[in-house]
Amino acid sequence: MKFLTIDKPKHKKILSISLPAAFNSLLDMLQVITDLIMVGTISAFAVAAVGLGLQSLMFVFAILTLFHVGTNALISRFYGAGKMRQASLALSTLYLFAFGLSIFVVPLWYFGSSELYILFGMAEEVTVLGQGYVQILTFMMPFIFMRLVFITALSATGDTKTPMYVKLVSIVLNIGVNYLLIFGHFGFPALGVQGAAVATVIVNMLEFFVYISLYIKGKTPFTPLLRYSKSLLKRALKVGLPASYERSLTMGSFMLFTAIIADYGTEAMAGYQIGLRVEGLAFMPGIGFTIAAMALMGQGLGAKNPEQSREDVLLVLKYAIALMFFLSFFMIFTPEWIVQFFTNDAQTIKEASLYLKIVGLSQIPLAFNFVLSGALRGAGDSKRTLKINLISLWLVRIIPAFVLSWYFEDIIWVYIAMISDTFVKAFFLWRAFEKGEWKRIKI
């Protein structure tokens, strides 16, 4: 049994990175779920408004993929090679660039995001609530842009515990501020959906100030700098831009997919949004293992040891498969019980449960997708993941979903097209990883 014969120090190293990262990703999703649960007590309109608002925010996260992938690929290689001076300069360059880019994004998002509710033809109640929600979220953009650079830089060095501890405090604070501002306790106004948005902005600002404080006080592996390197930025963008293009186009495709769901009514839309958040409880830990795969891949390549990178990634993959396989049982066999924590609307519960039963069948290939795409990006092979993802997304998911929805007029066929895409991508990512062309990529 090869899995059991690998030395214990290697398991310990991988788990010391993977588990905190997985737990931190889980906490990220729980923070989102907290908002949905708390506004879910208001109405299905509130759930649909917040759910679509959070999904539309994925366009911003697509831009952030540039920093997530570029920062990790560059700094993990410097760290693996023992070049911390260059790693510190890379961090300074990327957080300054992140701030500048966020200033450009803020007005575009503020005036453009609210139009999505009209574009999708949502009910008037959902549109009014949602527009106010996403416009308030705009004010946190500079903070989340720079915060992600700091989190990714720490993860690239193997420090995933610090982000985990910060997020633990953050989620408790988020629940408390939500309680005050959504429902209007202790003299605060009852702001409803807008209260959830204000709470999210406050918590994200405080998270950023924690990271900048640790950085300035020398509590991180990096030397605090306020310098900019054009050459290092180009190297980070070389890897990060294809990943950002991929994420942006993927999110655009997902919005088209969401438009298909919206045709089935408010309850179907609310059920889909809740289903996505519950599924996140399974795949956010998977994303945690992806972060470990990216860091270990870059560190091994930086140390001129690609075989070590390969072994580390395969072990991370095994852990991800085991965890997501375990969580899939709850999605398949007890979805109604889980969904009841989000809403008491019977039709919404039915719609969300259907979604979870179907996607529960695809959790193992989803583990392959997360870990292997992360590993390939960590090696700088982001153009290949871009091609695989977009071709499968359109030819296996989006186009078939439109056709099947039109022909059968049953949402189950839309979900079948969705999980088919997951299986196809897993197959091609595995082929790309096994071919080993990533070993020869220079950043």
Side-chain angles (χ1 to χ4, degrees), residues 97-126:
F97 181 69
F99 176 73
L101 186 59
S102 70
I103 299 302
F104 173 75
V105 170
V106 163
L108 294 177
W109 179 257
Y110 184 87
F111 293 108
S113 60
S114 60
E115 296 301 314
L116 289 171
Y117 292 88
I118 299 173
L119 180 64
F120 285 165
M122 301 304 296
E124 184 178 354
E125 295 90 337
V126 175

PDB file of all heavy atoms in Angstrom, residues 97-126:
ATOM      1  N   PHE A  97       0.188  46.688  -6.536  1.00  0.00           N
ATOM      2  CA  PHE A  97      -0.567  46.533  -7.776  1.00  0.00           C
ATOM      3  C   PHE A  97      -2.030  46.203  -7.482  1.00  0.00           C
ATOM      4  O   PHE A  97      -2.942  46.686  -8.166  1.00  0.00           O
ATOM      5  CB  PHE A  97       0.063  45.434  -8.626  1.00  0.00           C
ATOM      6  CG  PHE A  97      -0.634  45.205  -9.941  1.00  0.00           C
ATOM      7  CD1 PHE A  97      -0.592  46.152 -10.949  1.00  0.00           C
ATOM      8  CD2 PHE A  97      -1.353  44.040 -10.164  1.00  0.00           C
ATOM      9  CE1 PHE A  97      -1.237  45.954 -12.164  1.00  0.00           C
ATOM     10  CE2 PHE A  97      -2.005  43.823 -11.374  1.00  0.00           C
ATOM     11  CZ  PHE A  97      -1.947  44.782 -12.370  1.00  0.00           C
ATOM     12  N   ALA A  98      -2.263  45.374  -6.458  1.00  0.00           N
ATOM     13  CA  ALA A  98      -3.632  45.007  -6.074  1.00  0.00           C
ATOM     14  C   ALA A  98      -4.424  46.243  -5.656  1.00  0.00           C
ATOM     15  O   ALA A  98      -5.596  46.401  -6.023  1.00  0.00           O
ATOM     16  CB  ALA A  98      -3.609  43.992  -4.929  1.00  0.00           C
ATOM     17  N   PHE A  99      -3.790  47.134  -4.899  1.00  0.00           N
ATOM     18  CA  PHE A  99      -4.478  48.359  -4.477  1.00  0.00           C
ATOM     19  C   PHE A  99      -4.849  49.223  -5.682  1.00  0.00           C
ATOM     20  O   PHE A  99      -5.976  49.708  -5.798  1.00  0.00           O
ATOM     21  CB  PHE A  99      -3.604  49.160  -3.512  1.00  0.00           C
ATOM     22  CG  PHE A  99      -4.213  50.477  -3.113  1.00  0.00           C
ATOM     23  CD1 PHE A  99      -5.292  50.522  -2.239  1.00  0.00           C
ATOM     24  CD2 PHE A  99      -3.722  51.668  -3.631  1.00  0.00           C
ATOM     25  CE1 PHE A  99      -5.869  51.746  -1.882  1.00  0.00           C
ATOM     26  CE2 PHE A  99      -4.280  52.884  -3.277  1.00  0.00           C
ATOM     27  CZ  PHE A  99      -5.363  52.914  -2.403  1.00  0.00           C
ATOM     28  N   GLY A 100      -3.898  49.408  -6.596  1.00  0.00           N
ATOM     29  CA  GLY A 100      -4.169  50.210  -7.778  1.00  0.00           C
ATOM     30  C   GLY A 100      -5.281  49.639  -8.633  1.00  0.00           C
ATOM     31  O   GLY A 100      -6.155  50.382  -9.115  1.00  0.00           O
ATOM     32  N   LEU A 101      -5.282  48.336  -8.813  1.00  0.00           N
ATOM     33  CA  LEU A 101      -6.316  47.700  -9.629  1.00  0.00           C
ATOM     34  C   LEU A 101      -7.691  47.805  -8.960  1.00  0.00           C
ATOM     35  O   LEU A 101      -8.715  47.980  -9.631  1.00  0.00           O
ATOM     36  CB  LEU A 101      -5.962  46.235  -9.877  1.00  0.00           C
ATOM     37  CG  LEU A 101      -6.877  45.459 -10.826  1.00  0.00           C
ATOM     38  CD1 LEU A 101      -6.916  46.109 -12.198  1.00  0.00           C
ATOM     39  CD2 LEU A 101      -6.430  44.005 -10.927  1.00  0.00           C
ATOM     40  N   SER A 102      -7.726  47.706  -7.639  1.00  0.00           N
ATOM     41  CA  SER A 102      -9.010  47.769  -6.928  1.00  0.00           C
ATOM     42  C   SER A 102      -9.681  49.129  -7.089  1.00  0.00           C
ATOM     43  O   SER A 102     -10.904  49.222  -7.171  1.00  0.00           O
ATOM     44  CB  SER A 102      -8.802  47.466  -5.436  1.00  0.00           C
ATOM     45  OG  SER A 102      -8.112  48.528  -4.787  1.00  0.00           O
ATOM     46  N   ILE A 103      -8.877  50.193  -7.136  1.00  0.00           N
ATOM     47  CA  ILE A 103      -9.435  51.541  -7.325  1.00  0.00           C
ATOM     48  C   ILE A 103     -10.120  51.650  -8.676  1.00  0.00           C
ATOM     49  O   ILE A 103     -11.137  52.334  -8.839  1.00  0.00           O
ATOM     50  CB  ILE A 103      -8.325  52.599  -7.196  1.00  0.00           C
ATOM     51  CG1 ILE A 103      -7.699  52.555  -5.795  1.00  0.00           C
ATOM     52  CG2 ILE A 103      -8.870  53.990  -7.487  1.00  0.00           C
ATOM     53  CD1 ILE A 103      -8.684  52.761  -4.663  1.00  0.00           C
ATOM     54  N   PHE A 104      -9.587  50.951  -9.660  1.00  0.00           N
ATOM     55  CA  PHE A 104     -10.192  50.930 -10.992  1.00  0.00           C
ATOM     56  C   PHE A 104     -11.490  50.116 -10.994  1.00  0.00           C
ATOM     57  O   PHE A 104     -12.468  50.462 -11.672  1.00  0.00           O
ATOM     58  CB  PHE A 104      -9.190  50.341 -11.991  1.00  0.00           C
ATOM     59  CG  PHE A 104      -9.760  50.126 -13.366  1.00  0.00           C
ATOM     60  CD1 PHE A 104      -9.985  51.196 -14.228  1.00  0.00           C
ATOM     61  CD2 PHE A 104     -10.078  48.851 -13.808  1.00  0.00           C
ATOM     62  CE1 PHE A 104     -10.505  50.998 -15.499  1.00  0.00           C
ATOM     63  CE2 PHE A 104     -10.597  48.642 -15.073  1.00  0.00           C
ATOM     64  CZ  PHE A 104     -10.818  49.716 -15.921  1.00  0.00           C
ATOM     65  N   VAL A 105     -11.526  49.035 -10.221  1.00  0.00           N
ATOM     66  CA  VAL A 105     -12.678  48.134 -10.211  1.00  0.00           C
ATOM     67  C   VAL A 105     -13.869  48.720  -9.462  1.00  0.00           C
ATOM     68  O   VAL A 105     -15.027  48.501  -9.842  1.00  0.00           O
ATOM     69  CB  VAL A 105     -12.285  46.765  -9.591  1.00  0.00           C
ATOM     70  CG1 VAL A 105     -13.511  45.892  -9.331  1.00  0.00           C
ATOM     71  CG2 VAL A 105     -11.306  46.037 -10.503  1.00  0.00           C
ATOM     72  N   VAL A 106     -13.619  49.488  -8.417  1.00  0.00           N
ATOM     73  CA  VAL A 106     -14.699  49.983  -7.540  1.00  0.00           C
ATOM     74  C   VAL A 106     -15.823  50.677  -8.296  1.00  0.00           C
ATOM     75  O   VAL A 106     -16.994  50.288  -8.157  1.00  0.00           O
ATOM     76  CB  VAL A 106     -14.116  50.900  -6.439  1.00  0.00           C
ATOM     77  CG1 VAL A 106     -15.220  51.745  -5.796  1.00  0.00           C
ATOM     78  CG2 VAL A 106     -13.436  50.065  -5.366  1.00  0.00           C
ATOM     79  N   PRO A 107     -15.573  51.711  -9.104  1.00  0.00           N
ATOM     80  CA  PRO A 107     -16.691  52.380  -9.779  1.00  0.00           C
ATOM     81  C   PRO A 107     -17.394  51.478 -10.801  1.00  0.00           C
ATOM     82  O   PRO A 107     -18.613  51.570 -10.973  1.00  0.00           O
ATOM     83  CB  PRO A 107     -16.041  53.588 -10.462  1.00  0.00           C
ATOM     84  CG  PRO A 107     -14.596  53.240 -10.581  1.00  0.00           C
ATOM     85  CD  PRO A 107     -14.295  52.390  -9.398  1.00  0.00           C
ATOM     86  N   LEU A 108     -16.621  50.624 -11.460  1.00  0.00           N
ATOM     87  CA  LEU A 108     -17.234  49.715 -12.432  1.00  0.00           C
ATOM     88  C   LEU A 108     -18.209  48.778 -11.748  1.00  0.00           C
ATOM     89  O   LEU A 108     -19.320  48.536 -12.237  1.00  0.00           O
ATOM     90  CB  LEU A 108     -16.145  48.909 -13.154  1.00  0.00           C
ATOM     91  CG  LEU A 108     -15.191  49.691 -14.053  1.00  0.00           C
ATOM     92  CD1 LEU A 108     -14.138  48.750 -14.637  1.00  0.00           C
ATOM     93  CD2 LEU A 108     -15.958  50.374 -15.183  1.00  0.00           C
ATOM     94  N   TRP A 109     -17.800  48.249 -10.607  1.00  0.00           N
ATOM     95  CA  TRP A 109     -18.657  47.315  -9.887  1.00  0.00           C
ATOM     96  C   TRP A 109     -19.882  48.024  -9.300  1.00  0.00           C
ATOM     97  O   TRP A 109     -20.994  47.517  -9.355  1.00  0.00           O
ATOM     98  CB  TRP A 109     -17.875  46.624  -8.775  1.00  0.00           C
ATOM     99  CG  TRP A 109     -18.728  45.676  -7.996  1.00  0.00           C
ATOM    100  CD1 TRP A 109     -19.262  45.859  -6.760  1.00  0.00           C
ATOM    101  CD2 TRP A 109     -19.200  44.408  -8.443  1.00  0.00           C
ATOM    102  NE1 TRP A 109     -20.024  44.784  -6.391  1.00  0.00           N
ATOM    103  CE2 TRP A 109     -20.001  43.879  -7.410  1.00  0.00           C
ATOM    104  CE3 TRP A 109     -19.023  43.661  -9.601  1.00  0.00           C
ATOM    105  CZ2 TRP A 109     -20.613  42.638  -7.520  1.00  0.00           C
ATOM    106  CZ3 TRP A 109     -19.636  42.435  -9.702  1.00  0.00           C
ATOM    107  CH2 TRP A 109     -20.418  41.938  -8.664  1.00  0.00           C
ATOM    108  N   TYR A 110     -19.665  49.206  -8.744  1.00  0.00           N
ATOM    109  CA  TYR A 110     -20.764  49.925  -8.077  1.00  0.00           C
ATOM    110  C   TYR A 110     -21.906  50.208  -9.049  1.00  0.00           C
ATOM    111  O   TYR A 110     -23.076  50.020  -8.727  1.00  0.00           O
ATOM    112  CB  TYR A 110     -20.248  51.236  -7.487  1.00  0.00           C
ATOM    113  CG  TYR A 110     -21.306  51.989  -6.704  1.00  0.00           C
ATOM    114  CD1 TYR A 110     -21.519  51.721  -5.360  1.00  0.00           C
ATOM    115  CD2 TYR A 110     -22.097  52.966  -7.314  1.00  0.00           C
ATOM    116  CE1 TYR A 110     -22.491  52.398  -4.639  1.00  0.00           C
ATOM    117  CE2 TYR A 110     -23.068  53.647  -6.602  1.00  0.00           C
ATOM    118  CZ  TYR A 110     -23.261  53.352  -5.265  1.00  0.00           C
ATOM    119  OH  TYR A 110     -24.236  54.012  -4.556  1.00  0.00           O
ATOM    120  N   PHE A 111     -21.577  50.645 -10.256  1.00  0.00           N
ATOM    121  CA  PHE A 111     -22.619  51.033 -11.204  1.00  0.00           C
ATOM    122  C   PHE A 111     -23.091  49.879 -12.092  1.00  0.00           C
ATOM    123  O   PHE A 111     -24.172  49.940 -12.672  1.00  0.00           O
ATOM    124  CB  PHE A 111     -22.123  52.183 -12.089  1.00  0.00           C
ATOM    125  CG  PHE A 111     -21.905  53.465 -11.344  1.00  0.00           C
ATOM    126  CD1 PHE A 111     -20.624  53.923 -11.094  1.00  0.00           C
ATOM    127  CD2 PHE A 111     -22.975  54.193 -10.863  1.00  0.00           C
ATOM    128  CE1 PHE A 111     -20.401  55.101 -10.392  1.00  0.00           C
ATOM    129  CE2 PHE A 111     -22.775  55.376 -10.163  1.00  0.00           C
ATOM    130  CZ  PHE A 111     -21.491  55.827  -9.922  1.00  0.00           C
ATOM    131  N   GLY A 112     -22.275  48.828 -12.202  1.00  0.00           N
ATOM    132  CA  GLY A 112     -22.620  47.754 -13.126  1.00  0.00           C
ATOM    133  C   GLY A 112     -23.236  46.513 -12.503  1.00  0.00           C
ATOM    134  O   GLY A 112     -24.069  45.851 -13.134  1.00  0.00           O
ATOM    135  N   SER A 113     -22.876  46.203 -11.255  1.00  0.00           N
ATOM    136  CA  SER A 113     -23.292  44.928 -10.670  1.00  0.00           C
ATOM    137  C   SER A 113     -24.794  44.824 -10.453  1.00  0.00           C
ATOM    138  O   SER A 113     -25.391  43.753 -10.630  1.00  0.00           O
ATOM    139  CB  SER A 113     -22.565  44.712  -9.338  1.00  0.00           C
ATOM    140  OG  SER A 113     -22.874  45.764  -8.433  1.00  0.00           O
ATOM    141  N   SER A 114     -25.418  45.950 -10.088  1.00  0.00           N
ATOM    142  CA  SER A 114     -26.847  45.901  -9.782  1.00  0.00           C
ATOM    143  C   SER A 114     -27.697  45.596 -11.009  1.00  0.00           C
ATOM    144  O   SER A 114     -28.847  45.171 -10.895  1.00  0.00           O
ATOM    145  CB  SER A 114     -27.298  47.217  -9.145  1.00  0.00           C
ATOM    146  OG  SER A 114     -27.064  48.294 -10.026  1.00  0.00           O
ATOM    147  N   GLU A 115     -27.130  45.814 -12.206  1.00  0.00           N
ATOM    148  CA  GLU A 115     -27.876  45.550 -13.435  1.00  0.00           C
ATOM    149  C   GLU A 115     -28.088  44.055 -13.671  1.00  0.00           C
ATOM    150  O   GLU A 115     -28.934  43.662 -14.484  1.00  0.00           O
ATOM    151  CB  GLU A 115     -27.149  46.160 -14.630  1.00  0.00           C
ATOM    152  CG  GLU A 115     -27.037  47.673 -14.594  1.00  0.00           C
ATOM    153  CD  GLU A 115     -28.407  48.346 -14.527  1.00  0.00           C
ATOM    154  OE1 GLU A 115     -29.302  47.937 -15.301  1.00  0.00           O
ATOM    155  OE2 GLU A 115     -28.565  49.265 -13.706  1.00  0.00           O
ATOM    156  N   LEU A 116     -27.330  43.228 -12.970  1.00  0.00           N
ATOM    157  CA  LEU A 116     -27.457  41.779 -13.155  1.00  0.00           C
ATOM    158  C   LEU A 116     -28.847  41.283 -12.775  1.00  0.00           C
ATOM    159  O   LEU A 116     -29.379  40.357 -13.392  1.00  0.00           O
ATOM    160  CB  LEU A 116     -26.399  41.050 -12.322  1.00  0.00           C
ATOM    161  CG  LEU A 116     -24.953  41.187 -12.813  1.00  0.00           C
ATOM    162  CD1 LEU A 116     -23.998  40.614 -11.781  1.00  0.00           C
ATOM    163  CD2 LEU A 116     -24.780  40.506 -14.153  1.00  0.00           C
ATOM    164  N   TYR A 117     -29.439  41.878 -11.751  1.00  0.00           N
ATOM    165  CA  TYR A 117     -30.774  41.454 -11.311  1.00  0.00           C
ATOM    166  C   TYR A 117     -31.815  41.736 -12.401  1.00  0.00           C
ATOM    167  O   TYR A 117     -32.735  40.945 -12.615  1.00  0.00           O
ATOM    168  CB  TYR A 117     -31.150  42.166 -10.012  1.00  0.00           C
ATOM    169  CG  TYR A 117     -30.303  41.733  -8.839  1.00  0.00           C
ATOM    170  CD1 TYR A 117     -29.099  42.357  -8.549  1.00  0.00           C
ATOM    171  CD2 TYR A 117     -30.712  40.677  -8.022  1.00  0.00           C
ATOM    172  CE1 TYR A 117     -28.318  41.958  -7.482  1.00  0.00           C
ATOM    173  CE2 TYR A 117     -29.946  40.276  -6.953  1.00  0.00           C
ATOM    174  CZ  TYR A 117     -28.744  40.913  -6.692  1.00  0.00           C
ATOM    175  OH  TYR A 117     -27.968  40.498  -5.630  1.00  0.00           O
ATOM    176  N   ILE A 118     -31.648  42.862 -13.073  1.00  0.00           N
ATOM    177  CA  ILE A 118     -32.561  43.208 -14.176  1.00  0.00           C
ATOM    178  C   ILE A 118     -32.304  42.282 -15.360  1.00  0.00           C
ATOM    179  O   ILE A 118     -33.240  41.798 -16.005  1.00  0.00           O
ATOM    180  CB  ILE A 118     -32.369  44.681 -14.575  1.00  0.00           C
ATOM    181  CG1 ILE A 118     -32.701  45.600 -13.390  1.00  0.00           C
ATOM    182  CG2 ILE A 118     -33.229  45.027 -15.786  1.00  0.00           C
ATOM    183  CD1 ILE A 118     -32.381  47.063 -13.634  1.00  0.00           C
ATOM    184  N   LEU A 119     -31.017  42.020 -15.621  1.00  0.00           N
ATOM    185  CA  LEU A 119     -30.638  41.152 -16.740  1.00  0.00           C
ATOM    186  C   LEU A 119     -31.249  39.756 -16.595  1.00  0.00           C
ATOM    187  O   LEU A 119     -31.695  39.158 -17.573  1.00  0.00           O
ATOM    188  CB  LEU A 119     -29.117  41.055 -16.827  1.00  0.00           C
ATOM    189  CG  LEU A 119     -28.542  40.181 -17.944  1.00  0.00           C
ATOM    190  CD1 LEU A 119     -28.894  40.757 -19.312  1.00  0.00           C
ATOM    191  CD2 LEU A 119     -27.032  40.061 -17.786  1.00  0.00           C
ATOM    192  N   PHE A 120     -31.277  39.257 -15.368  1.00  0.00           N
ATOM    193  CA  PHE A 120     -31.800  37.912 -15.122  1.00  0.00           C
ATOM    194  C   PHE A 120     -33.322  37.895 -14.971  1.00  0.00           C
ATOM    195  O   PHE A 120     -33.913  36.836 -14.783  1.00  0.00           O
ATOM    196  CB  PHE A 120     -31.165  37.308 -13.872  1.00  0.00           C
ATOM    197  CG  PHE A 120     -29.756  36.847 -14.085  1.00  0.00           C
ATOM    198  CD1 PHE A 120     -28.948  36.563 -13.010  1.00  0.00           C
ATOM    199  CD2 PHE A 120     -29.243  36.705 -15.357  1.00  0.00           C
ATOM    200  CE1 PHE A 120     -27.646  36.132 -13.204  1.00  0.00           C
ATOM    201  CE2 PHE A 120     -27.949  36.274 -15.566  1.00  0.00           C
ATOM    202  CZ  PHE A 120     -27.146  35.984 -14.482  1.00  0.00           C
ATOM    203  N   GLY A 121     -33.945  39.070 -15.044  1.00  0.00           N
ATOM    204  CA  GLY A 121     -35.392  39.124 -14.953  1.00  0.00           C
ATOM    205  C   GLY A 121     -35.931  38.685 -13.603  1.00  0.00           C
ATOM    206  O   GLY A 121     -37.005  38.079 -13.525  1.00  0.00           O
ATOM    207  N   MET A 122     -35.195  39.003 -12.534  1.00  0.00           N
ATOM    208  CA  MET A 122     -35.633  38.605 -11.199  1.00  0.00           C
ATOM    209  C   MET A 122     -36.876  39.409 -10.784  1.00  0.00           C
ATOM    210  O   MET A 122     -37.143  40.496 -11.313  1.00  0.00           O
ATOM    211  CB  MET A 122     -34.508  38.831 -10.188  1.00  0.00           C
ATOM    212  CG  MET A 122     -33.222  38.057 -10.507  1.00  0.00           C
ATOM    213  SD  MET A 122     -33.479  36.269 -10.661  1.00  0.00           S
ATOM    214  CE  MET A 122     -34.000  35.857  -9.002  1.00  0.00           C
ATOM    215  N   ALA A 123     -37.608  38.876  -9.835  1.00  0.00           N
ATOM    216  CA  ALA A 123     -38.786  39.558  -9.313  1.00  0.00           C
ATOM    217  C   ALA A 123     -38.395  40.926  -8.757  1.00  0.00           C
ATOM    218  O   ALA A 123     -37.263  41.129  -8.316  1.00  0.00           O
ATOM    219  CB  ALA A 123     -39.439  38.714  -8.214  1.00  0.00           C
ATOM    220  N   GLU A 124     -39.334  41.856  -8.785  1.00  0.00           N
ATOM    221  CA  GLU A 124     -39.022  43.231  -8.367  1.00  0.00           C
ATOM    222  C   GLU A 124     -38.487  43.282  -6.944  1.00  0.00           C
ATOM    223  O   GLU A 124     -37.554  44.035  -6.638  1.00  0.00           O
ATOM    224  CB  GLU A 124     -40.282  44.100  -8.481  1.00  0.00           C
ATOM    225  CG  GLU A 124     -40.021  45.565  -8.147  1.00  0.00           C
ATOM    226  CD  GLU A 124     -41.261  46.431  -8.299  1.00  0.00           C
ATOM    227  OE1 GLU A 124     -42.294  45.907  -8.786  1.00  0.00           O
ATOM    228  OE2 GLU A 124     -41.193  47.618  -7.946  1.00  0.00           O
ATOM    229  N   GLU A 125     -39.075  42.481  -6.046  1.00  0.00           N
ATOM    230  CA  GLU A 125     -38.625  42.460  -4.646  1.00  0.00           C
ATOM    231  C   GLU A 125     -37.169  42.024  -4.551  1.00  0.00           C
ATOM    232  O   GLU A 125     -36.380  42.581  -3.781  1.00  0.00           O
ATOM    233  CB  GLU A 125     -39.499  41.531  -3.803  1.00  0.00           C
ATOM    234  CG  GLU A 125     -40.942  41.985  -3.658  1.00  0.00           C
ATOM    235  CD  GLU A 125     -41.832  41.422  -4.771  1.00  0.00           C
ATOM    236  OE1 GLU A 125     -41.298  41.063  -5.843  1.00  0.00           O
ATOM    237  OE2 GLU A 125     -43.063  41.347  -4.554  1.00  0.00           O
ATOM    238  N   VAL A 126     -36.794  41.004  -5.336  1.00  0.00           N
ATOM    239  CA  VAL A 126     -35.417  40.509  -5.335  1.00  0.00           C
ATOM    240  C   VAL A 126     -34.469  41.563  -5.893  1.00  0.00           C
ATOM    241  O   VAL A 126     -33.379  41.800  -5.355  1.00  0.00           O
ATOM    242  CB  VAL A 126     -35.300  39.201  -6.162  1.00  0.00           C
ATOM    243  CG1 VAL A 126     -33.846  38.750  -6.262  1.00  0.00           C
ATOM    244  CG2 VAL A 126     -36.154  38.102  -5.559  1.00  0.00           C
TER     245      VAL A 126
END
